[in-house]
Amino acid sequence: MTRLLDRLGNPERALPPVIHIAGTNGKGSTGAFLRAGLEAAGKTVHAYTSPHLVQFRERIRLRGTLIEDTALTELLEECEAANDGAAITFFEITTVAALLAFSRIPADYCILEVGLGGRLDATNVIDAPALTIITPVSLDHQSYLGDTIERIAAEKAGIIKPGVPVVVGLQDEPALKVIAETAARNRAMVHAFGADWSVRPEVNGFSVQYPDGLLDLPRPVLPGAHQLENAGAAIMALALLGHGDEKTATAAVTRAEWPARMQRLKHGPLFDVAPQGAEIWLDGGHNPAAGEAVASLMADMEEHGPKPLYMICGMLNTKDPTGYLEPFHGLVRRVYCVDIPGETATLAAEDLMDIALDADLDAIAVEDVATAIRLIAGEESSDLEPPRILICGSLYLAGRILRENG
């Protein structure tokens, strides 16, 4: 990264104020809330996120708008020429292209989402960001980041910079200890969930308590109890950036857009073959913490509107399917296991089925998502309540669904 950035004139030194976000879960949602709030405050915002769902240019937003294909092609060609055949990864060179684009177009802020870990991530080339955020840390990518919460937290905390404030989401105590120690070494002020800010669900919304006061806000547009915490982290960040008023915070939680995070599908080919009145939900979470969050939301939905729940699940073989599936025990009638089309690292549907059965879930392997929905429609023909269908287990599967479902 530093070699190629040097050759391109160090565009990373010419960015608008950067908000750098790391964490296992909630990076994208927190960034989406933050961007919505900043834009509501009249600010222009660049954003870099990953992975994409349907098309690559989703990863790079220039002043709120997805980069155009022609501009992206020209940037990548410029980076390839400067790299001159030297060894570099896909994520590294595309990150350089994003930084180059951000350096050339003025904006008020730039949100950078870490790709993997933090300490050695390609985005970690910003010497003095305006703010860093660390969302909840849990076990994921252990082969790269370490096999304990402490080791993973140390990698995430690698984005903390000297003197730069850091907003910290809800953490297990071992992770929080590592993050706090890293911040102390860098003399970076910590604004941690529980100690410095908190959220509380209310009858018609939720409240955020932070040093400047208490805000009573509507429920976030992104569903799930975990999104209250992500929204709270974004609001704490907005306050540190000087935009902590109620109007901005309300816009942050009501205008955020983040596809495939408990997104309800209401049209398209899959919706057309589903049973009349069925709910179809799409979520790209893929680790045990995500499984717990989604299962909790499904349980809440069942409590307020009972419907038979079916899962259609596809996962990569690099993930922890047992940890992801176990929270759904007792909630789901059946798990339909599918391959993820076009992904060489897909976990075979039959293998995922065996894992689900071992987790004491009723499960079968099927050809694809559409087949699963048709089977659910057949099974549900005699039920009084239409089903609730959750398509889940991988952002790659979610991206495929969004591409094929219009």
Side-chain angles (χ1 to χ4, degrees), residues 200 207-210 212-216 246:
R200 186 175 66 187
S207 61
V208 180
Q209 178 82 51
Y210 65 109
D212 288 344
L214 176 69
L215 295 176
D216 291 312
E246 184 175 357

Side-chain angles (χ1 to χ4, degrees), residues 4-346:
L4 182 52
L5 289 168
D6 284 345
R7 290 184 180 181
L8 290 165
N10 296 110
E12 78 282 8
R13 300 175 187 172
L15 301 183
V18 169
I19 302 100
H20 200 187
I21 307 177
T24 305
N25 292 300
K27 297 189 299 292
S29 298
T30 300
F33 287 127
L34 181 57
R35 182 167 65 86
L38 289 172
E39 290 176 345
K43 303 302 178 181
T44 55
V45 185
H46 297 327
Y48 183 59
T49 60
S50 62
H52 62 279
L53 292 170
V54 178
Q55 49 187 333
F56 179 86
R57 67 193 189 99
E58 296 168 33
R59 298 183 183 217
I60 303 173
R61 284 184 177 271
L62 301 173
R63 295 173 61 92
T65 302
L66 297 184
I67 191 170
E68 295 292 339
D69 285 332
T70 300
L72 177 60
T73 299
E74 292 173 352
L75 283 165
L76 288 169
E77 288 175 347
E78 183 177 352
C79 292
E80 286 280 9
N83 191 53
D84 195 26
I88 197 165
T89 68
F90 170 85
F91 188 72
E92 286 168 341
I93 199 162
T94 52
T95 299
V96 170
L99 297 176
L100 195 58
F102 296 154
S103 72
R104 291 174 174 174
I105 298 177
D108 296 309
Y109 291 100
C110 180
I111 298 173
L112 294 183
E113 180 189 319
V114 164
L116 178 66
R119 182 175 65 94
L120 297 176
D121 188 70
T123 62
N124 200 23
V125 292
I126 310 301
D127 290 334
L131 184 68
T132 60
I133 302 174
I134 301 179
T135 64
V137 173
S138 61
L139 292 175
D140 200 5
H141 301 292
Q142 290 96 314
S143 59
Y144 296 99
L145 303 180
D147 56 3
T148 67
I149 287 291
E150 291 88 347
R151 289 179 178 176
I152 293 173
E155 295 298 320
K156 309 291 185 183
I159 70 166
I160 295 173
K161 299 297 189 300
V164 176
V166 53
V167 175
V168 182
L170 174 64
Q171 306 290 345
D172 292 335
E173 189 58 35
L176 182 59
K177 184 174 184 290
V178 170
I179 294 167
E181 289 172 349
T182 305
R185 287 196 300 272
N186 284 277
R187 298 185 180 181
M189 179 67 72
V190 173
H191 302 268
F193 176 88
D196 304 290
W197 61 274
S198 61
V199 298
R200 186 175 66 187
E202 306 287 357
V203 174
N204 295 316
F206 79 117
S207 61
V208 180
Q209 178 82 51
Y210 65 109
D212 288 344
L214 176 69
L215 295 176
D216 291 312
L217 302 169
R219 282 282 176 133
V221 67
L222 304 180
H226 58 293
Q227 294 294 3
L228 302 185
E229 296 157 9
N230 294 332
I235 290 165
M236 183 69 252
L238 285 167
L240 292 172
L241 295 169
H243 307 290
D245 59 281
E246 184 175 357
K247 182 179 179 182
T248 299
T250 298
V253 301
T254 58
R255 298 183 190 176
E257 296 180 356
W258 197 232
R261 279 72 175 180
M262 285 310 300
Q263 176 182 354
R264 187 170 176 181
L265 304 182
K266 297 184 178 181
H267 58 79
L270 293 179
F271 186 81
D272 293 342
V273 299
Q276 185 75 22
E279 294 179 11
I280 303 179
W281 295 88
L282 179 67
D283 188 78
H286 47 257
N287 54 42
E292 290 177 8
V294 175
S296 176
L297 178 56
M298 291 289 105
D300 287 344
M301 287 184 180
E302 177 65 16
E303 184 176 333
H304 293 96
K307 292 179 182 291
L309 174 63
Y310 293 87
M311 288 175 66
I312 304 172
C313 187
M315 299 191 74
L316 297 182
N317 58 24
T318 55
K319 301 302 176 183
D320 176 8
T322 300
Y324 178 82
L325 291 169
E326 280 180 340
F328 293 94
H329 183 263
L331 288 174
V332 61
R333 284 197 178 185
R334 175 171 289 174
V335 182
Y336 291 83
C337 302
V338 297
D339 294 338
I340 303 175
E343 293 298 326
T344 56
T346 186

Side-chain angles (χ1 to χ4, degrees), residues 270 310-315 334-341 346-354 356-357 362-379 389-392 397 401:
L270 293 179
Y310 293 87
M311 288 175 66
I312 304 172
C313 187
M315 299 191 74
R334 175 171 289 174
V335 182
Y336 291 83
C337 302
V338 297
D339 294 338
I340 303 175
T346 186
L347 182 62
E350 292 79 9
D351 293 338
L352 182 57
M353 176 190 70
D354 290 339
L357 291 171
D362 184 9
I364 61 171
V366 297
E367 182 180 354
D368 53 32
V369 172
T371 299
I373 291 180
R374 283 191 286 268
L375 289 171
I376 293 169
E379 293 181 19
I389 301 169
L390 172 65
I391 306 172
C392 60
L397 176 63
I401 295 302

